[in-house]
Amino acid sequence: MKEARALRGESLNDRSSIMHFDPVFLSRLQFAWVIGWHILLPAFTVGMAAFIAVLEGFHLITGRAVYLRVSMFWIRLFSVAFGMGVVTGVVMPFQIGTNWSRYADATSNVLSPLFAYEGLTAFFLEAGFLGVLLFGRKVVPRWAHFFAALMVATGTLLSSFWILSANSWMQTPAGYEILDGRFYPTDWMAVIFNPSFLPRLAHTVVAFFITAGFVVLGTGAYLIRRGRFLTEGQTMLSMTLWLLTALVPLQIFLGDHHGLNTLEHQPAKLAAIEARWETARNVPPDAFRDPR
């Protein structure tokens, strides 16, 4: 290898500097940085919106003030995370259009409507009722405030639906034809409900709920340990432990189902996940185990 590079007049140091400043690598690094933050924020806000809606519902039905206090605490944190999620989400379409401009141009007839549906059906719903949730406590009736919380939670789920549909189509495209190098939809139902969409949707949304559940669980445990706001901490702890008791085992099943779907529709991706770099058939389970 070294001799081949020497024949091309290329030193090892030159090669290393070229790789460090490769535009594709830098584009991937920039996109990974933004999307890494973006997935963490919705992973919290989607689950938290549902938790707030449950708290508001319990307060409406039982009238217990503890549910109101816990809800008001998490609404403040939710609003900050929601705002940061919007900021990182706005940056991503620009990155897709600049870093991956030819891809964006080729797939725009399919992906642009999916992103537009997310904005029209989800974001406006979330943003509108979030205003009521934040500032309408003393202005609207209790049932209307609960309805606002319910709409915000519904909006986050609709947002997850459309974004994961677009993400899944990019991995397992369906319902399209290619004309002059551009993708054109031929069946929107096949586009939206592409082969990997439903397993990915279930797996991701449950992961969002589990993430938010552990954040609430940790906060409640911290309050109890410090001996402060014991009633609120016990309420957080009890509610999330029941939730996690149901969802964590369910997630094991959903993750396995999603993995089998990946095996069926994206075998190269699964091989990369398992670090199987050599093409083979009927590979035994321990073939790539570390011999040490």
Side-chain angles (χ1 to χ4, degrees):
M1 182 64 72
K2 293 180 181 179
E3 291 77 3
R5 290 177 180 172
L7 290 174
R8 294 199 303 266
E10 180 182 296
S11 69
L12 292 177
N13 291 332
D14 292 339
R15 184 69 173 177
S16 177
S17 62
I18 291 173
M19 291 300 295
H20 278 97
F21 293 98
D22 176 56
V24 175
F25 173 75
L26 292 177
S27 295
R28 289 173 174 169
L29 184 64
Q30 183 191 46
F31 194 78
W33 172 255
V34 175
I35 202 172
W37 283 105
H38 184 67
I39 189 60
L40 286 175
L41 293 165
F44 171 74
T45 56
V46 173
M48 183 50 59
F51 182 59
I52 291 170
V54 171
L55 289 169
E56 291 290 333
F58 281 3
H59 174 59
L60 179 65
I61 294 170
T62 67
R64 292 184 61 193
V66 63
Y67 294 122
L68 174 62
R69 294 194 299 270
V70 174
S71 177
M72 291 177 65
F73 172 79
W74 285 110
I75 285 174
R76 296 187 184 95
L77 298 178
F78 169 82
S79 61
V80 174
F82 180 83
M84 291 302 298
V86 171
V87 170
T88 54
V90 167
V91 173
M92 287 174 56
F94 287 96
Q95 287 187 314
I96 294 175
T98 53
N99 295 16
W100 323 110
S101 56
R102 295 186 66 181
Y103 172 79
D105 178 66
T107 60
S108 59
N109 293 306
V110 177
L111 294 181
S112 294
L114 296 179
F115 292 139
Y117 295 151
E118 190 267 340
L120 292 173
T121 65
F123 178 72
F124 290 155
L125 183 68
E126 296 171 80
F129 282 99
L130 181 60
V132 179
L133 194 64
L134 285 173
F135 309 112
R137 178 77 68 180
K138 299 180 180 179
V139 179
V140 301
R142 282 167 53 183
W143 67 264
H145 202 266
F146 165 65
F147 182 76
L150 201 61
M151 289 300 98
V152 171
T154 303
T156 61
L157 292 175
L158 282 173
S159 180
S160 302
F161 178 93
W162 291 113
I163 294 301
L164 288 171
S165 176
N167 178 279
S168 298
W169 186 86
M170 287 189 275
Q171 301 193 53
T172 54
Y176 69 94
E177 61 180 355
I178 300 178
L179 299 174
D180 298 326
R182 297 171 68 90
F183 292 78
Y184 290 89
T186 58
D187 183 351
W188 274 110
M189 291 300 291
V191 169
I192 296 170
F193 296 96
N194 55 79
S196 66
F197 170 55
L198 291 179
R200 181 172 286 104
L201 177 67
H203 188 232
T204 305
V205 170
V206 171
F208 289 167
F209 289 157
I210 291 175
T211 299
F214 274 110
V215 172
V216 176
L217 179 71
T219 304
Y222 173 81
L223 293 175
I224 294 173
R225 182 176 175 82
R226 292 294 299 270
R228 302 174 59 192
F229 306 103
L230 291 178
T231 305
E232 290 80 0
Q234 290 167 357
T235 301
M236 296 180 199
L237 205 68
S238 176
M239 292 179 68
T240 49
L241 279 175
W242 282 111
L243 175 75
L244 294 172
T245 299
L247 290 189
V248 170
L250 175 63
Q251 184 71 322
I252 296 173
F253 168 78
L254 293 175
D256 178 67
H257 180 62
H258 190 20
L260 294 175
N261 179 270
T262 303
L263 173 63
E264 179 181 357
H265 297 285
Q266 298 175 276
K269 176 181 177 180
L270 188 63
I273 292 172
E274 296 184 350
R276 296 185 175 183
W277 312 122
E278 301 295 333
T279 301
R281 292 182 180 275
N282 299 321
V283 180
D286 59 348
F288 297 89
R289 189 173 297 166
D290 190 340
R292 294 173 295 180

